[in-house]
């Protein structure tokens, strides 16, 4: 029964902030009230909270209070390991100690990951290691993997959690696969000889007894969409780094098929079936390999007859193998054989079901009826040619499986693209813009918002009359602003005088502009490039030209490069996608962020181009709904690298003139923090020189 004697959420926040040596932040107070209201009203909430708001505390405090009041855990999902570790190693322990005196008991918490992330004790000792034989032609790589296997074996004797992330330095996927199983391969705790001491089961048991469960977007999606009941029963989910949710869920529901996957299934079948039956599947895999290696990579809109026949052959051969395997429950009294049978069934199921899914992706009457896209990734030195299939939208799945069953709070520093939550809300399945009644209501407690005024974006999603009550939850979007004074602390410089970027690499004018900006800043520059090719080209062209250290992603591990960049003020760091979202360098080491071009997705990207075309077929603006949203999100994330602490100052320089001249520039600019803007290079260079003394 709910406990109405608990302190109000504002009081708990005040106690926590005071104990942790912080100070009141209006945006944090606004957010904590909004999260509590969403939980009380059982409505979904999207919160844009800028860097420095203290959003982790703003959702953890009401989450803990709800867990105490309802005797039901709250699930917090993140996109990155770094944030998971921050929550579990820093934020939650300090918060638990602080609030324990004010609540019925000290709050408890645990981290829960997918089964593949935990060492499987039985597989490590049962003598049925992975049969996969990755195509490693370099003997050095083979020996390196062997050393990793030995290190895992030694670590297995001493670990108390079996958590792969605690194995430092890390190991490659090939080595780890020999000691882990997926949920589908697992024998189950009741049948496994090591079930009583299984690391994954112990982690799941701990998660079932705590107030806050920290997990990741992929596991959240698997739990919600595949009905595997991995997470404990819960009423409230907080999705941090919510701008990553759609991509992470898409990855979970994307399947692939290759000759290597088919060969693995055949190896796993081994002596479990008659060889001629297994050979039929092996031959089908070889036919598929020959066909894929001869085909051009890219999206496959219409199913070629020969590919259809080959996929049908793979499907039917896998089905015959499954039939020949007999009962799935056979050998249940022999764990070794049972484990091998389970692994074989899993591999065969994946091959069969993926072939079926690919065949069923075709045959639609019109483009509007298309639900999935199939494409071919060409072979590389390390991977064979691979067919992939993914849904054109995951909004319906999220609406039915995630938002329909519980209250969800989504938060990030970047959610309101173009000044509105509509773009991401539609991708999440929370309702089309035309189904929302929008309204604004100023909140005197809110901090300065991105437009420089206190404001609140609100929208109520509705459901049709025929839908169940669980689908009728409304949703609200609120921007609580940022503690940073963006117009005073930062400059957004758009180089209008430069030519538009082309396909032939960085023009000389761009290289000259980058060099002049870095010289004015005295180094201290993070260069964010749209491709690794561009980052390396800029590094090669400017290393000898500049008299400051210049690092490039790939020179060493990204973590070590960022550490070196942060510790040596004059140093510059160039890189691509992971740096756009993963760098947190407060202080004087970062005064200039350079973005080479508006980061639109590649025109030939199979999934985004198919999604764009699908929106057009339904009467929408595919470019704005897909490409512009993608670019706005990355631009905002990239610009967000500049101000990480209260005293930070600097410049975000976008070299692409389209940000100032194109018809969509207003949408992109409205997605960025409200920096002071200029297109005058002399003004910017003067400001950088003055800033760096």
């Amino acid at each position: 029964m709910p406990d109405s004697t608990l302190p109000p959420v504002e009081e708990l926040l005040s106690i926590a902030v005071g104990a942790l040596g912080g100070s009141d932040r209006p945006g944090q107070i606004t957010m904590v009230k909004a999260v509590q209201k969403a939980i009380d009203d059982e409505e979904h909430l999207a919160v844009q909270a800028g860097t420095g708001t203290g959003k982790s505390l703003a959702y953890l405090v009401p989450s803990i209070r709800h867990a105490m009041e309802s005797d039901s855990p709250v699930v917090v999902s993140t996109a990155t390991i770094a944030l998971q570790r921050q929550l579990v190693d820093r934020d939650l322990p300090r918060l638990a100690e602080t609030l324990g005196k004010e609540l019925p008991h000290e709050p408890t918490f645990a981290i829960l990951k997918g089964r593949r992330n935990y060492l499987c004790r039985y597989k490590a000792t049962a003598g049925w290691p992975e049969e996969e034989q990755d195509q490693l032609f370099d003997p050095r790589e083979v020996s390196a993997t062997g050393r990793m296997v030995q290190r895992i074996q030694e670590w297995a004797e001493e670990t108390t959690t079996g958590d792969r992330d605690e194995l430092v330095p890390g190991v490659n996927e090939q080595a780890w696969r020999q000691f882990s199983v997926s949920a589908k391969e697992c024998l189950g705790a009741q049948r496994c000889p090591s079930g009583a001491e299984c690391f994954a089961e112990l982690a799941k048991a701990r998660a079932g007894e705590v107030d806050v469960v920290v997990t990741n977007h992929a596991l959240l999606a698997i739990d919600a969409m595949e009905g595997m009941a991995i997470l404990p029963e819960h009423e409230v989910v907080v999705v941090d780094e919510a701008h990553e949710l759609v991509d992470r869920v898409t990855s979970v529901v994307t399947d692939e098929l290759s000759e290597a996957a088919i060969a693995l299934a055949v190896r796993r079948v081994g002596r479990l079936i008659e060889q001629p039956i297994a050979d039929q599947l092996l031959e089908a895999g070889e036919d598929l390999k020959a066909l894929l290696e001869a085909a051009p990579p890219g999206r496959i809109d219409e199913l070629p007859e020969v590919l259809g026949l080959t996929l049908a052959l793979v499907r039917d051969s896998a089905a015959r193998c499954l039939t020949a395997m007999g009962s799935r429950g056979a050998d249940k009294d022999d764990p070794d054989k049972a484990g091998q049978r389970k692994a074989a069934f899993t591999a065969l199921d994946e091959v069969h079901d993926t072939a079926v899914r690919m065949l069923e992706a075709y045959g639609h009457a019109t483009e509007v009826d298309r639900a999935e896209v199939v494409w071919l990734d060409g072979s590389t030195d390390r991977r064979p040619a691979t067919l992939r299939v993914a849904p054109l939208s995951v909004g319906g799945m999220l609406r039915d499986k995630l938002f329909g069953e519980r209250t969800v709070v989504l938060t990030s520093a970047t959610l309101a693209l173009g000044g509105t939550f509509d773009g991401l809300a539609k991708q999440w399945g929370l309702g089309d813009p035309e189904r929302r009644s929008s309204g604004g209501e100023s909140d005197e407690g809110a901090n300065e918002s991105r437009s420089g005024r206190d404001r609140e974006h609100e929208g109520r999603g509705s459901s049709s009359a025929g839908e169940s009550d669980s689908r009728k939850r409304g949703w609200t979007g609120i921007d609580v602003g940022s503690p940073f004074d963006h117009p005073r602390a930062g400059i957004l410089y758009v180089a209008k005088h430069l030519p538009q970027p082309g396909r032939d690499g960085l023009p000389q004018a761009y290289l000259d502009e980058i060099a002049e900006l870095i010289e004015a800043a005295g180094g201290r520059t993070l260069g964010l490039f749209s491709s690794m090719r561009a980052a390396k080209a800029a590094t090669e062209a400017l290393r000898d030209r500049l008299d400051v250290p210049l690092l490039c992603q790939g020179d060493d591990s990204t973590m070590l490069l960022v550490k070196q960049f942060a510790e040596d003020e004059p140093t510059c760091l160039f890189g691509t996608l992971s740096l756009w979202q993963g760098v947190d360098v407060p202080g004087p080491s970062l005064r200039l962020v350079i973005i080479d071009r508006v980061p639109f997705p590649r025109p030939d990207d199979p999934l985004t181009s198919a999604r764009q075309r699908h929106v057009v077929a339904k009467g929408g603006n595919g470019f704005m709904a897909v490409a512009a949203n993608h670019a706005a999100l990355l631009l905002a994330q990239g610009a967000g690298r500049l101000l990480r602490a209260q005293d930070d100052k600097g410049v975000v320089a976008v070299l692409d003139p389209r940000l100032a001249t194109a018809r969509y520039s207003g949408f992109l600019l409205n997605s960025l923090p409200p920096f002071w803007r200029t297109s005058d290079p002399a003004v910017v260079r003067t400001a950088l020189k003055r800033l760096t003394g």
Side-chain angles (χ1 to χ4, degrees), residues 9 269 365 380 502 505 540 597 607 664:
V9 70
V269 168
T380 67
E540 187 175 324
R597 63 192 297 162
L607 184 54
Y664 49 78

Side-chain angles (χ1 to χ4, degrees), residues 119-441:
L119 179 88
C120 174
R121 288 186 187 272
Y122 181 55
K123 189 171 184 180
T125 58
W128 52 286
E130 196 72 30
E131 308 91 335
E132 292 182 67
Q133 300 167 0
D134 286 8
Q135 299 175 7
L136 295 174
F137 301 111
D138 187 340
R140 291 173 298 180
E141 293 194 36
V142 175
S143 61
T145 298
R147 289 193 295 272
M148 290 178 186
V149 167
Q150 184 177 357
R151 194 152 54 82
I152 296 172
Q153 291 170 331
E154 295 169 354
W155 172 75
E157 298 296 323
E158 59 188 40
T159 179
T160 58
T161 66
D163 187 339
R164 177 181 180 177
D165 292 329
E166 295 183 6
L167 182 58
V168 178
V171 296
N172 64 29
E173 189 63 24
Q174 186 196 16
W176 183 251
R177 277 199 300 262
Q178 298 186 44
F179 298 88
S180 67
V181 296
S182 68
K184 293 179 180 178
E185 294 169 322
C186 178
L187 285 173
Q190 301 302 318
R191 295 172 58 192
C192 178
S194 301
E197 52 183 1
C198 171
F199 289 123
E201 290 295 326
L202 291 172
K204 184 177 178 181
R206 284 194 297 271
E209 299 172 350
V210 299
D211 299 308
V212 178
V213 179
V214 178
T215 188
N216 56 66
H217 295 350
L219 191 64
L220 180 69
I222 293 170
D223 178 78
M225 296 179 186
E226 298 187 8
M228 301 185 93
I230 302 168
L231 297 169
E233 288 290 326
H234 56 283
E235 301 168 352
V236 175
V237 176
V238 177
V239 181
D240 202 342
E241 300 174 310
H243 62 279
E244 294 260 27
L245 180 62
V246 169
D247 286 345
R248 299 303 172 105
V249 172
T250 299
S251 295
V252 167
V253 295
T254 296
D255 284 329
E256 62 180 54
L257 186 63
S258 68
E259 184 270 340
I262 295 171
L264 168 63
V266 173
R267 288 197 300 272
R268 284 187 173 181
V269 168
R271 300 189 183 92
L272 299 177
I273 64 174
E274 294 179 9
Q275 193 62 43
I277 299 176
D279 286 344
Q280 291 178 17
L281 180 57
L282 187 63
E283 291 169 5
E286 292 170 350
D287 290 346
L288 182 68
K289 177 183 179 181
L291 182 61
L292 298 186
E293 287 185 344
R299 204 174 67 216
I300 305 173
D301 292 331
E302 300 299 330
L303 182 64
E305 182 179 4
V306 64
L307 178 57
L309 291 172
T310 305
L311 287 174
L313 182 61
V314 170
R315 175 198 63 196
D316 296 341
S317 300
R320 283 191 286 272
C321 290
L322 287 166
T323 300
M325 288 279 291
S327 170
R328 292 176 183 259
D331 297 322
K332 63 181 180 180
D333 296 327
D334 185 335
D336 285 354
K337 290 183 179 179
Q340 293 172 15
R341 288 181 65 83
K342 191 75 179 286
F345 269 117
T346 298
L348 286 170
D349 282 339
E350 289 177 356
V351 168
H352 175 270
D353 294 350
T354 302
V356 169
R357 182 179 172 188
M358 288 176 174
L359 289 167
E360 292 179 348
Y362 299 95
H364 46 274
T366 67
E367 179 60 35
V368 173
D369 300 317
R370 190 192 298 266
E372 300 204 288
V373 59
V374 178
W375 72 94
L376 171 62
D377 279 345
S379 61
T380 67
D381 292 340
R382 301 186 60 83
R383 255 194 102 86
T386 302
L387 273 179
R388 303 186 195 280
V389 58
L392 286 167
S393 170
V394 296
M397 288 183 271
L398 287 171
R399 180 184 63 240
D400 295 340
K401 302 296 187 179
L402 179 62
F403 296 107
E405 302 297 331
R406 52 191 66 81
T407 298
V408 183
V409 175
L410 306 112
T411 186
S412 169
T414 310
L415 294 181
L417 305 180
T420 173
F421 292 88
D422 289 341
L424 285 178
K426 189 171 183 180
Q427 292 182 28
W428 295 329
L430 286 180
D432 296 334
E434 64 269 17
R435 292 169 61 197
R436 291 181 44 204
S437 57
S438 62
E441 180 181 338

Side-chain angles (χ1 to χ4, degrees), residues 566-609:
E567 292 176 349
D568 184 29
E569 280 191 30
T571 297
C572 302
L573 174 60
F574 288 0
T576 186
L577 190 59
S578 63
L579 299 187
W580 286 72
Q581 305 185 72
V583 175
D584 185 12
V585 180
S589 291
L590 178 52
R591 293 301 192 207
L592 172 63
V593 174
I594 295 177
I595 296 174
D596 70 329
R597 63 192 297 162
V598 175
F600 290 117
R602 290 170 52 98
D604 59 352
D605 180 85
L607 184 54
T608 55
S609 61

